Amino acid sequence: MPKMSWIKTITPKDATGKLKEIYSRVVSPGKRVDNILQVHSLRPHSLEGHMKLYKNVLHHSSNTLPKPFLETIAVYVSLLNKCAYCVDHHFAGLQKLLKAETGKAAAIRSALDKDEPENYFSGSELLLLQYAKKLTLLSSSITKTDIELLQNNGIDDGEILEVNQVTAYFCYANRTVLGLGVNTEGDELGLSPGNSANPDDWCHS
């Protein structure tokens, strides 16, 4: 069976102490812990920090942008970074969120795969996706003018911050995965800590 990463990891079965306690908080109904989380196992404090950031950035009830759009940002940033692991996980999550809207997830994926979000999105959503792309690939070139463009098109500063943080988080997550060779072997795709009302609930479902 292939290793889930290029470095040593401690499985849930072998975990003790602090690591075992954190694993119990992130485990899925199928008793799995995602490989992107297991790769932190040699430094449980790093895993704890990762989960706090992830939950508060993407899965918090105080966010005002729709969760499917934030997941779209996640998929787009991961595609731009060529991180298949995060694309697979978060596109599966987007499909779950849009289950009732037949064909929508596929249309979004087609536009993002071609790096042509304008084929599906318009208005403020398209502007935010363009901002996320520039932040991902050309962050040092962003100026106040980029933010003013968003503001002048009716996007409030809190929404800009949400997209900024989701983009920044996924650049971090993508580099964690790509830099350590994390793969999806044994993962349950599309699970997430969905209880947005409780930032301390990390259980994946």
Side-chain angles (χ1 to χ4, degrees), residues 88 91 142 148:
D88 290 348
F91 182 65
I142 291 179
E148 289 174 339

Coordinates of all heavy atoms in Angstrom, one line a residue, residues 88 91 142 148:
D88 N -9.4 17.7 -5.5 CA -10.3 16.5 -5.3 C -11.2 16.6 -4.1 O -12.4 16.4 -4.2 CB -9.5 15.3 -5.3 CG -8.8 14.9 -6.6 OD1 -9.2 15.5 -7.6 OD2 -7.9 14.0 -6.6
F91 N -13.6 20.0 -4.4 CA -14.6 19.9 -5.5 C -15.7 18.9 -5.0 O -16.9 19.1 -5.2 CB -14.1 19.5 -6.8 CG -15.1 19.4 -7.9 CD1 -15.8 20.5 -8.3 CD2 -15.4 18.2 -8.5 CE1 -16.8 20.5 -9.2 CE2 -16.4 18.1 -9.4 CZ -17.1 19.3 -9.8
I142 N -0.3 43.2 -6.1 CA -1.6 43.7 -5.7 C -1.3 45.1 -5.0 O -0.4 45.3 -4.2 CB -2.3 42.8 -4.7 CG1 -2.8 41.5 -5.4 CG2 -3.5 43.5 -4.0 CD1 -3.4 40.5 -4.5
E148 N -9.8 48.7 -4.2 CA -10.8 49.8 -4.5 C -11.8 49.3 -5.6 O -12.9 49.7 -5.6 CB -10.1 51.1 -4.9 CG -9.4 51.8 -3.7 CD -8.6 53.0 -4.2 OE1 -8.2 53.1 -5.3 OE2 -8.4 53.8 -3.3

